DNA sequence: TGCGCTTTCTGCAGCGTTGTATACGAACCG
DNA sequence: CGGTTCGTATACAACGCTGCAGAAAGCGCA
């Protein structure tokens, strides 16, 4: 089973190798219909498949996109990764996936590995991108798009949702039910980030509270962005003496953990406690009670990220059409809010 | 920012290009310590990074592993994918991920794409691998390992769990609680497979039932392998006149959907209904009640799959050490069974 | 028929590595 | 002091493809 190369095809079709390439790639030069037919026939007969590695070598570009996420096992990132893969596939690209597991070194490791592989673009979902990673990106002069999160260490093209607006929306909605106040389960990064960037979620919540004349003092709690930690935090938080009447969580995953804690403590949701989440992951529709949350068009975002990284990720200063693509957040009312 | 190539390094180090390669790869030929030092220094000074594509081109192998799963958003597959990536990373490989979304064509599409990319191995999680896919694999003479599922269309190296044994174990455990019988929520493939391969889960359940002198007649139900469909099926199944006293589900994800349905119908688990799942996904510990299930060592399996595909996946007839690697299933007792 | 154009095809120089065949010293031996 | 042997380093031909420069062929028109 000797490998079939382009030369074999050219020979069989009675033409030159270049023409075979032109047929495969539709150009850069035109090929006469008759010739094209002969080449196509030869390709079929020999079962020829172009070697992508050689193509990449010669054309200096690959059909690869690198995607780095913290942990695709978390529903939100998993859905995001799925959407990115889908979008990439539509553009004929393959996706190299790397889970950083919230470890900075792993992030840099994958960054390096993917760039070495000459990916044609890199999509990063990370809130803790460090300087080392940024330096690596610069060194390779790579096309990078930040998705969902926008770390401070790096200045690049980003596709994000309007988190502040979304949090504001959710908090406001909760407030409209007449609860005395709304607490917030903010997120704490798995690995401490430099500085203390108040997350946009917290910011939006704070804003809505202040607008309604409520104090936020002592009403902000923290958990990792996943259900397991939120469950633990929830157990303490809800068992305490002055349990909040309503809680806005930074992620649905946290909300799910909180709901679980509430059930364990026999606290009725939404009867005794209202909850709202953020992200509208698929599971949010199947929690008990179904979760009121904030949605955004995930697949549109993924598509935007892929498009940006492929068409517009050039690092030439100022040459980009948009440096920031903001997607709107919308409220999805279910039952956990008390509606 | 011109690209730094090996030639630049060689020039700076005052040596030939081959020597640089030998240093990078710990050569096939030895390099004198002094020379190695100079080369290393030059590499550092220039910030040289070997081009993986060119390496692949010349060495005829890549550091890529292709992984095809039905849908990584489902917890089980997500955890599997994560484990594979982890294992691959330990071996210095990167992972190309493709979600088939249970569509045969997408599976073949990724198969083709990954093989064209000259992945050094392919790990497949699929129960519906068709002949087209098998032909594609043959055409490329690829190294393939089947993980978790073992479709009939293809004869290759596989890493699987003892599903029959696990299902038997779970059913038996349920039976020991004294329930009159145990129903089974079997899985139905998203896309109909040829023939009707009774899943191993069902087989194990059936065996345990028969051993205990129980009939399985009319006690087998079916749902897709995910929580959403199992929830729907569960609503009907549990609302019916003769509700089973205990149910063994083919996957934890199904069990979660079933639990959700039970709660909606105000059926107490495990008081009025015992449930056991299969897979021991992370979430199983956080359901209400925590799920009794069947576990196996996922990361060991992933590692085995990676090792097999890299070291042992040659398609030379009979040249393999093992064609089937079976991992044991163990019972994880939590509360949903009534213990 | 000859000229300028256009359209289509060909030859070939890369792309950045690997690894083989070979050259080069220096050390060792008789 | 020539010959052999080792340990290292070098030159260079692949690897399979792309895409440029330019040749060849076809075409319309004077």
């Amino acid at each position: 089973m000797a490998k079939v190369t382009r030369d074999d095809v050219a020979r069989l079709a009675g033409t030159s190798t270049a023409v075979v390439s032109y047929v495969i790639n539709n150009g850069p030069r035109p090929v006469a219909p008759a010739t094209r037919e002969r080449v196509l026939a030869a390709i079929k007969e020999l079962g020829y498949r172009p070697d992508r590695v050689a193509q990449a070598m010669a054309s200096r570009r690959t059909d690869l996109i690198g995607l780095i996420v913290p942990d695709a096992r978390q529903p939100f990132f998993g859905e995001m990764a799925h959407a990115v893969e889908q979008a990439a596939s539509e553009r004929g690209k393959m996706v190299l996936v790397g889970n950083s597991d919230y470890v900075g070194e792993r992030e840099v490791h994958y960054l390096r590995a993917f760039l070495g592989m000459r990916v044609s673009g890199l999509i990063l979902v990370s809130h803790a991108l460090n300087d080392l990673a940024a330096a690596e990106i610069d060194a390779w002069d790579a096309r990078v798009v930040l998705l969902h999160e926008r770390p401070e260490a790096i200045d690049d093209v980003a596709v994000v949702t309007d988190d502040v607006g979304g949090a504001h929306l959710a908090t406001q909605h909760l407030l409209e039910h007449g609860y005395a106040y709304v607490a917030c389960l903010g997120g704490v990064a798995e690995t401490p980030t430099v500085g203390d960037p108040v997350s946009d979620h917290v910011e939006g919540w704070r804003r809505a509270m202040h607008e309604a004349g409520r104090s936020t003092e002592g009403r902000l709690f923290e958990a990792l962005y996943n259900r397991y930690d939120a469950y633990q935090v929830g157990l303490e938080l809800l068992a305490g003496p002055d349990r909040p009447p309503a809680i806005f969580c930074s992620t649905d995953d946290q909300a799910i953990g909180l709901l679980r804690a509430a059930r364990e403590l026999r606290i009725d949701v939404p009867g005794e406690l209202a909850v709202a989440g953020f992200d509208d992951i698929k599971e949010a529709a199947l929690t008990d009670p179904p979760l009121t949350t904030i949605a955004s068009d995930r697949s549109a975002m993924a598509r935007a990220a892929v498009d940006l990284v492929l068409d517009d990720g050039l690092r030439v200063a100022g040459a980009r059409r948009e440096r920031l693509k903001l997607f709107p957040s919308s409220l999805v009312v279910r039952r956990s809010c008390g509606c």
Side-chain angles (χ1 to χ4, degrees), chain A:
Chain A
M1 167 78 68
K3 192 163 176 45
V4 182
T5 74
R6 206 191 33 164
D7 294 19
D8 303 318
V9 176
R11 204 170 309 120
L12 179 61
T15 177
S16 71
T17 59
V19 172
V20 178
S21 286
Y22 297 156
V23 170
I24 294 171
N25 317 330
N26 289 317
R29 335 229 116 258
V31 175
T35 318
R36 148 170 280 110
E37 281 315 315
R38 263 185 303 135
V39 170
L40 253 21
I43 288 178
K44 188 169 232 171
E45 177 167 346
L46 298 175
Y48 167 71
R49 308 247 189 262
D51 183 321
R52 318 286 287 236
V53 174
Q55 286 183 321
M57 176 86 227
S59 66
R60 252 165 297 303
R61 54 190 145 65
T62 61
D63 286 339
L64 260 27
I65 285 183
L67 171 68
I68 301 180
V69 294
D71 182 359
R73 287 171 301 184
Q74 282 176 240
F76 178 77
F77 296 125
E79 290 178 20
M80 210 46 145
H82 191 272
V84 167
E85 190 215 298
Q86 190 84 19
S89 183
E90 282 168 16
R91 295 279 243 116
K93 305 292 171 191
M94 296 174 252
V95 180
L96 278 167
V97 180
N99 288 88
S100 73
D101 288 329
Y102 295 97
V103 177
E105 290 88 63
R106 286 181 64 78
E107 206 164 71
V108 174
H109 162 81
Y110 278 122
L111 215 52
R112 229 194 285 272
F114 291 175
L115 290 172
M117 203 63 211
R118 294 229 214 121
V119 293
S120 48
L122 215 41
I123 297 179
L124 259 37
V125 183
S126 163
H127 39 183
L129 210 54
N130 58 35
D131 296 334
L132 191 55
E136 201 68 30
I137 291 170
D138 276 334
W140 283 90
D141 197 32
R143 284 157 173 255
V144 174
V145 166
L146 304 171
L147 182 56
H148 184 247
E149 297 283 353
R150 198 147 43 102
E152 301 190 346
I154 188 173
D155 167 43
D156 226 298
V157 176
V159 175
V160 296
T161 49
D162 177 13
D163 288 354
V164 176
H168 185 271
L169 208 58
T171 308
Q172 208 169 36
H173 180 74
L174 247 18
L175 248 14
E176 281 166 6
H177 286 74
Y179 305 118
Y181 69 94
V182 176
C184 176
L185 183 55
V188 44
E190 312 261 335
T191 37
T193 325
V194 278
D196 180 26
V198 173
S199 101
D200 288 349
H201 296 130
V202 173
E203 176 60 24
W205 161 75
R206 193 164 276 160
R207 207 175 287 178
M209 286 284 279
H210 289 163
E211 279 172 18
R214 312 293 210 288
S215 161
T216 54
E217 201 63 48
R219 293 169 176 176
L220 174 60
F221 303 89
E222 284 188 331
L224 298 183
Y225 285 112
N226 65 62
R227 70 185 64 182
Y228 307 100
D229 197 53
Y231 165 70
Q232 298 296 347
V233 170
L235 285 179
E236 283 189 45
L237 159 56
L238 298 178
D242 28 42
R243 186 178 76 216
I247 303 180
F248 160 66
C249 302
S250 307
T251 70
D252 282 356
D253 219 7
Q254 289 180 321
I256 287 170
L258 190 69
L259 250 29
R260 178 74 184 80
R263 190 176 321 122
E264 188 135 327
L265 297 170
R266 311 223 173 286
I267 297 168
D268 181 59
V269 177
E272 304 171 79
L273 170 72
V275 174
F278 200 108
D279 286 341
D280 193 31
I281 62 176
K282 190 173 181 198
E283 204 180 334
L286 199 67
T287 54
D288 179 31
L291 198 60
T292 288
T293 186
I294 298 296
S296 57
D297 191 340
R298 204 137 41 231
S299 57
M301 287 182 69
R303 198 163 301 115
V306 168
D307 288 346
L308 274 174
V309 88
L310 292 179
D311 308 330
D312 211 25
L314 282 171
R315 290 186 61 84
V316 182
R320 292 180 180 116
R321 271 193 303 249
E322 290 173 280
R323 298 195 59 81
L324 187 65
K325 196 145 195 159
L326 195 71
F327 277 73
S329 294
S330 63
L331 182 69
V332 178
V333 177
R334 295 208 181 84
R335 298 205 25 259
S336 67
C337 57
C339 265

